[in-house]
C-alpha cells in the first residue's frame, strides 16, 4: 500500500485528470501531472506540473523519480510511456491494456476473440477492402479511424462503398474499422474497478444519450430491465478479467431492440458517463482509481439516489458565460466546471448532475435546466 503523503503521477492534464487529482488530494496524496500544455484542467490543480510531451524521455524520467505510482487519464498516451514508467514505479492500467483500448482494430479483435458480442465489422487497411464481400453487408455503416478518434471525431457515416472510399481518403487513408450502423434501443455503460489482487467492483449502469457523437446525458440507474443491467455489469467484469486489467475501466455497450447487448468500446480510465459517481455514489470513479493505484481497499460503489448528468459543451458559451443560477437554483443540482480558459464549440467545459428521489424527477429537472441554458 502506498500511504497518503506519497506522490501519485498522472499522464494527461484533462478534466478526468483534474477529478482524479482532486480525489487523490482529498485523501492526502500529492499529484504530479505530466502534460504538454502550459495550462490544463489537471495541471492547474496538481501539486506539480511537468511540462513535457508524453513521449519525452526527460519528462517521463522526472515523473518516475517524483512518483510512487502512476496512471493515465486518457487512452492516447503512448503505451510506451507507461511501459517506461513501469520500470520505476507501480503503473495502472498496464501498457498492454492501454495499447488494446487505444487502437480500434486491436480493441475489436480482442473483444471478438474473447467471445464478446460486438457490432459486425471489417478491418480496413486498403481502400479496396471497402467494396469487398466482407464489407458489402456492413452498409449503411460507420467508418472509424483506428487511432486517435474520440467524441465522434474520426468517424463518418457511409451509405455505400463509393462514399466510404471518399471518407477513407478524407481521413488520410489510415487503418480503419467499418462497422454496420445498428438500430439502438439504448446505450449503456458500466465503470468497473479491478485491483492488483483481482478483486472487482462495478458501478451502477448508466444509460447514455449522445448528440453529434458526443455524450450528452447520462441517466442512472439506466431504465432497462434489471436482468439486462445485471448482464451489463457481468460483461464489464468479464472484459476487465479478460484483459487482466488493473485500474478503472469503462465498457460502453449498445442495447438492441431484441435485448441483445453488444460491446461498443472500452476506455482504460474513468469515463464521462461515470461522472455522476462524484455526487451520487459512496465512492466516485476517481476515488476508486486512486484506491486501485495506491493499493487501498476498493470503496463502496453504491448509489445514494437516482441521478442525471448533463454535459456542458463550449457551444453554451457562444454569448458569454452561461447564467449558472439556472443550475444552482436547484438545491440538488451539482455544478462542475473544469477551469478551461477557452470555450470552443463541442469542447467539454463541465457538467452538472441532478439528484432526485426518482429517475423521472432527476431527468425532468435536468432537462428543464438544459433547455433554459440553451
Ligand atoms: P467515440 O470514441 O467517439 O466515443 P464511439 O464508437 O463510441 O466513438 O461512437 C460514438 C457514438 O456514435 C456512440 O456512442 C453511438 O451513439 C454512435 N455509434 C457508434 N457506432 C455505432 C454503430 N455501429 N451503430 C449505431 N450507432 C453508433
Ligand atoms: Mg464512445
Amino acid at each position: 500500500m502506498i500511504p497518503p503523503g506519497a506522490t501519485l503521477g498522472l499522464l494527461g492534464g484533462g478534466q478526468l485528470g483534474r477529478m482524479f487529482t482532486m480525489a487523490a488530494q482529498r485523501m492526502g496524496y500529492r499529484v504530479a501531472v505530466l502534460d504538454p500544455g502550459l495550462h490544463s484542467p489537471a495541471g492547474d490543480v496538481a501539486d506539480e506540473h511537468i511540462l513535457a510531451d508524453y513521449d519525452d524521455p526527460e519528462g517521463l524520467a522526472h515523473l518516475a523519480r517524483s512518483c510512487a505510482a502512476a496512471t493515465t487519464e486518457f487512452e492516447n498516451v503512448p503505451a510506451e510511456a507507461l511501459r517506461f514508467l513501469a520500470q520505476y514505479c507501480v503503473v495502472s492500467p498496464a501498457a498492454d491494456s492501454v495499447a488494446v483500448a487505444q487502437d480500434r482494430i486491436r480493441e475489436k479483435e480482442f473483444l471478438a476473440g474473447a467471445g464478446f458480442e460486438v457490432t459486425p465489422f471489417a478491418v480496413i487497411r486498403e481502400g479496396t477492402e471497402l467494396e469487398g464481400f466482407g464489407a458489402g453487408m456492413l452498409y449503411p455503416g460507420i467508418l472509424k479511424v483506428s487511432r486517435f478518434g474520440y467524441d465522434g471525431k474520426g468517424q463518418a457515416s457511409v451509405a455505400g462503398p463509393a462514399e466510404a472510399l471518399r471518407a477513407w481518403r478524407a481521413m488520410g487513408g489510415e487503418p480503419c474499422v467499418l462497422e454496420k450502423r445498428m438500430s439502438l434501443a439504448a446505450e449503456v455503460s458500466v465503470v468497473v474497478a479491478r485491483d492488483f489482487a483481482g478483486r472487482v467492483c462495478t458501478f451502477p449502469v448508466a444509460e447514455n444519450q449522445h448528440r453529434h457523437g458526443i455524450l450528452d446525458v447520462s441517466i442512472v440507474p439506466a431504465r432497462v430491465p434489471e436482468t439486462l443491467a445485471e448482464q451489463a455489469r457481468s460483461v464489464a467484469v468479464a472484459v476487465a478479467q479478460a484483459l487482466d486489467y488493473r485500474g478503472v475501466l469503462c465498457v460502453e455497450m449498445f442495447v438492441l431492440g431484441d435485448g441483445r447487448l453488444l460491446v461498443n468500446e472500452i476506455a482504460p480510465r474513468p469515463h464521462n458517463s461515470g461522472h455522476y459517481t462524484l455526487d451520487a455514489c459512496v465512492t466516485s470513479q476517481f476515488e476508486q482509481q486512486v484506491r486501485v493505484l495506491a493499493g487501498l481497499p476498493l470503496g463502496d460503489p453504491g448509489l445514494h439516489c437516482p441521478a442525471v448528468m448533463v454535459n456542458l459543451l463550449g457551444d453554451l458559451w457562444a454569448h458569454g458565460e452561461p447564467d449558472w443560477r439556472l443550475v444552482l437554483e436547484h438545491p440538488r443540482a451539482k455544478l462542475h466546471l473544469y477551469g478551461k480558459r477557452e470555450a470552443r464549440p463541442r469542447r467539454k467545459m463541465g457538467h452538472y448532475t441532478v439528484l432526485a428521489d426518482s429517475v423521472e424527477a432527476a431527468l425532468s429537472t435536468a432537462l428543464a435546466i438544459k433547455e433554459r441554458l440553451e
Side-chain angles (χ1 to χ4, degrees):
M1 167 184 150
I2 297 167
T7 300
L8 304 178
L10 179 68
L11 292 171
Q15 62 268 15
L16 299 172
R18 179 184 179 94
M19 293 181 266
F20 165 85
T21 301
M22 290 169 157
Q25 289 171 335
R26 183 171 54 77
M27 296 173 80
Y29 292 96
R30 294 172 53 79
V31 177
V33 167
L34 185 146
D35 184 272
L38 194 54
H39 290 290
S40 64
D44 287 353
V45 298
D47 297 275
E48 188 182 357
H49 173 205
I50 301 167
L51 185 70
D53 284 319
Y54 303 117
D55 55 1
D56 176 54
E58 258 172 63
L60 288 170
H62 183 161
L63 190 70
R65 276 196 303 278
S66 320
C67 300
T71 187
T72 175
E73 63 113 31
F74 79 138
E75 57 263 46
N76 288 331
V77 297
E80 268 321 305
L82 293 169
R83 216 161 268 136
F84 172 85
L85 291 172
Q87 297 173 281
Y88 305 99
C89 61
V90 174
V91 169
S92 104
D96 290 345
S97 302
V98 174
V100 170
Q102 71 187 184
D103 182 321
R104 266 190 213 279
I105 295 177
R106 288 192 62 181
E107 179 180 61
K108 285 271 192 248
E109 288 177 340
F110 155 74
L111 289 168
F116 296 99
E117 240 196 299
V118 297
T119 304
F121 73 100
V123 172
I124 306 297
R125 290 202 173 84
E126 299 297 334
T128 50
E129 289 167 308
L130 288 163
E131 33 187 35
F133 175 71
M137 39 233 290
L138 298 177
Y139 297 107
I142 304 178
L143 191 65
K144 305 180 177 180
V145 280
S146 191
R147 296 294 307 272
F148 304 119
Y150 69 99
D151 286 345
K153 286 181 199 150
Q155 295 195 10
S157 268
V158 291
E163 203 182 339
L165 191 59
R166 276 196 299 279
W168 181 71
R169 290 201 178 116
M171 294 197 285
E174 297 279 325
C176 282
V177 167
L178 175 65
E179 267 180 34
K180 190 175 172 63
R181 176 175 281 287
M182 309 301 283
S183 159
L184 310 180
E187 290 189 60
V188 297
S189 59
V190 176
V191 174
V192 51
R194 186 162 180 271
D195 70 11
F196 287 94
R199 283 180 290 252
V200 284
C201 115
T202 55
F203 285 94
V205 182
E207 172 187 345
N208 303 320
Q209 297 177 348
H210 293 80
R211 199 155 93 177
H212 308 301
I214 306 176
L215 182 65
D216 187 23
V217 176
S218 289
I219 302 162
V220 188
R223 296 166 300 170
V224 297
E226 191 49 45
T227 48
L228 191 81
E230 274 313 311
Q231 198 193 337
R233 288 172 98 139
S234 328
V235 166
V237 168
V239 169
Q241 286 167 339
L243 269 176
D244 194 17
Y245 192 85
R246 303 299 144 104
V248 170
L249 174 81
C250 179
V251 181
E252 291 181 31
M253 290 169 250
F254 292 155
V255 182
L256 303 186
D258 60 6
R260 268 193 306 149
L261 208 53
L262 309 185
V263 177
N264 170 30
E265 60 171 356
I266 58 180
R269 49 169 172 77
H271 192 261
N272 195 168
S273 66
H275 288 357
Y276 77 88
T277 61
L278 283 165
D279 299 306
C281 291
V282 178
T283 307
S284 77
Q285 60 172 348
F286 303 101
E287 178 176 338
Q288 209 73 300
Q289 184 183 18
V290 173
R291 285 170 174 260
V292 175
L293 186 63
L296 309 177
L298 292 174
D300 178 359
L303 192 67
H304 290 305
C305 64
V308 170
M309 188 248 19
V310 178
N311 266 341
L312 297 165
L313 299 187
D315 311 64
L316 279 182
W317 274 251
H319 309 291
E321 188 81 13
D323 181 0
W324 298 125
R325 279 173 306 186
L326 297 175
V327 179
L328 298 169
E329 70 192 8
H330 296 274
R332 296 183 81 187
K334 309 287 281 185
L335 179 66
H336 298 253
L337 293 170
Y338 308 145
K340 296 186 183 177
R341 297 181 179 212
E342 197 195 336
R344 289 191 295 271
R346 300 198 177 184
R347 187 176 199 205
K348 288 174 178 168
M349 301 297 290
H351 71 268
Y352 61 88
T353 302
V354 175
L355 307 176
D357 297 330
S358 70
V359 170
E360 294 72 27
L363 188 57
S364 77
T365 304
L367 295 183
I369 295 172
K370 190 169 189 286
E371 206 176 292
R372 294 190 65 198
L373 278 174
E374 285 168 0

